[in-house]
Amino acid sequence: PTKCAHLLTATYVDRTQTVTATVGIVVISGTTTDRLRLVQLWNADAAKGPMMPHVYAVPGTVAAKFSDAQRVTWQSQISLDGTYVAYAVTGFTDGRAGPGAAAVAAGSDSSLSSNSPAVQVAGDLPAAIQSLLTARLQAAQSALGGMS
């Protein structure tokens, strides 16, 4: 079976100090077959409920009080080979709460409109992270291949 081998997270606050975003990369272990099975099972509902990413509240910063209860939107993207998942989860730093457990279970991950700052921040961030990682990995593999 697959499992989380490593986790890298960072939390950012916008310049108005009202929107907070935790971004993360989860490195997944397991056999190639297990990881490819995860890729096939991954869908938009995968980041709901127990698989929804947690926020990272950074002590001593504006984001110190950012909590899972304040998550209002999230996005995730899995790599094609299943070796990692990139995600972003956003909310507000002013204490506004995200959707309750019942709303999440019903598939209503956010009641915010698409032009809400928190929704815009989460947007395509995981896909952008994945594209950057893929480009860097391909460049590293090309460099190693050229060393033969």
Side-chain angles (χ1 to χ4, degrees):
T2 58
K3 66 179 185 177
C4 173
H6 300 283
L7 173 65
L8 173 66
T9 58
T11 295
Y12 301 93
V13 178
D14 75 334
R15 75 176 97 204
T16 67
Q17 298 188 349
T18 56
V19 176
T20 305
T22 293
V23 296
I25 301 171
V26 179
V27 179
I28 302 166
S29 69
T31 66
T32 301
T33 302
D34 289 336
R35 289 193 319 267
L36 290 176
R37 188 176 309 121
L38 180 64
V39 170
Q40 292 170 350
L41 295 172
W42 198 263
N43 59 49
D45 292 330
K48 293 187 171 110
M51 290 188 70
M52 185 189 318
H54 296 286
V55 303
Y56 173 53
V58 183
T61 69
V62 175
K65 294 181 181 180
F66 188 37
S67 72
D68 285 351
Q70 293 172 296
R71 295 178 292 197
V72 294
T73 191
W74 48 89
Q75 298 288 331
S76 62
Q77 183 83 32
I78 191 166
S79 64
L80 293 177
D81 63 358
T83 55
Y84 64 89
V85 174
Y87 71 86
V89 57
T90 61
F92 295 100
T93 55
D94 61 6
R96 281 182 268 182
V104 171
S108 177
D109 58 357
S110 178
S111 60
L112 301 174
S113 68
S114 62
N115 64 355
S116 165
V119 173
Q120 290 176 354
V121 169
D124 293 326
L125 198 51
I129 293 169
Q130 181 184 10
S131 294
L132 178 63
L133 286 175
T134 299
R136 296 280 171 105
L137 287 170
Q138 288 173 346
Q141 289 170 345
S142 293
L144 288 175
M147 297 178 79
S148 306

